[in-house]
Amino acid sequence: MATTKWAIDPTHSEIGFKVKHMMFTNVSGKFGTYDATIATEDDNFENAAIEFSADIDSISTNNTDRDNHLKSGDFFDAENHPKLTFKASSFTKDGDDYELTGDLSIKDVTKSVKFPVEFSGLMKDPWGNTKAGLNIYGKINRKDWGLNWNSALETGGVLVGEEVKLNIELQLIKL
């Protein structure tokens, strides 16, 4: 079978996350600069080879002070660890969708993670390009990667939740 290479279409993709703030509302954010290498056998995504990285300096929660705090040593330490990376170890069919397993590295910590992936299928755009749609979602605990900073609330609880919900919408273009 022939190897097919894919690239992320950044104008139709988003690398997003949500974290609880003060234990009762969500703060959403995203990474604006990222890159991926994706290779499949023809148009079959099963066993796809996937490598991904996001620039920590591109994190945005629509609040400059919060973004700068996230880039600081209290969280991602962008100065010493400018990227987070992911390398897939498997991409397996699960009914109509897939399960993605691989190593997520943040700061100097690498952990194995597993996420469900909704596959939206293949489609040609009006210019004849073949596109594929994927939604990768799941949860991680930020403390597993050393993102430990927090502040106790006067009424009990903490300022920043430990669980990070991921919602990654990808539109891929066949190269």
Side-chain angles (χ1 to χ4, degrees):
M1 292 198 156
T3 298
T4 301
K5 295 191 184 281
W6 300 83
I8 294 175
D9 178 348
T11 59
H12 299 105
S13 299
E14 187 172 285
I15 312 303
F17 61 88
K18 284 186 189 179
V19 179
K20 286 281 186 201
H21 180 259
M22 294 182 59
M23 302 183 61
F24 72 110
T25 58
N26 284 306
V27 169
S28 296
K30 62 184 178 179
F31 291 93
T33 305
Y34 46 84
D35 193 27
T37 304
I38 303 164
T40 61
E41 292 178 5
D42 292 322
D43 291 341
N44 178 8
F45 278 79
E46 193 162 12
N47 299 316
I50 301 170
E51 291 188 31
F52 171 85
S53 67
D55 293 344
I56 300 302
D57 272 335
S58 74
I59 200 166
S60 174
T61 62
N62 290 319
N63 180 290
T64 301
D65 290 340
R66 181 173 43 234
D67 296 346
N68 288 336
H69 191 202
L70 288 170
K71 295 173 194 178
S72 78
D74 283 344
F75 288 98
F76 287 100
D77 192 12
E79 185 176 327
N80 294 305
H81 306 281
K83 293 184 183 289
L84 67 78
T85 62
F86 174 82
K87 183 174 182 175
S89 56
S90 70
F91 194 77
T92 55
K93 194 93 166 129
D94 184 14
D96 291 336
D97 294 314
Y98 293 88
E99 184 174 81
L100 176 61
T101 304
D103 291 331
L104 177 62
S105 298
I106 301 173
K107 291 170 80 168
D108 56 357
V109 178
T110 300
K111 300 262 183 197
S112 181
V113 293
K114 188 182 295 186
F115 301 119
V117 179
E118 291 177 358
F119 179 66
S120 300
L122 300 170
M123 188 163 297
K124 290 237 186 234
D125 69 14
W127 301 274
N129 300 303
T130 299
K131 301 272 188 112
L134 302 172
N135 172 238
I136 303 166
Y137 56 96
K139 301 174 193 173
I140 62 170
N141 185 320
R142 66 184 177 88
K143 287 189 167 189
D144 290 345
W145 284 269
L147 306 177
N148 296 318
W149 184 91
N150 222 328
S151 181
L153 297 173
E154 195 175 295
T155 56
V158 292
L159 187 63
V160 182
E162 293 179 14
E163 181 180 88
V164 179
K165 293 179 183 176
L166 304 174
N167 186 27
I168 301 166
E169 293 283 347
L170 298 177
Q171 189 173 112
L172 305 178
I173 185 166
K174 188 186 224 179
L175 300 177

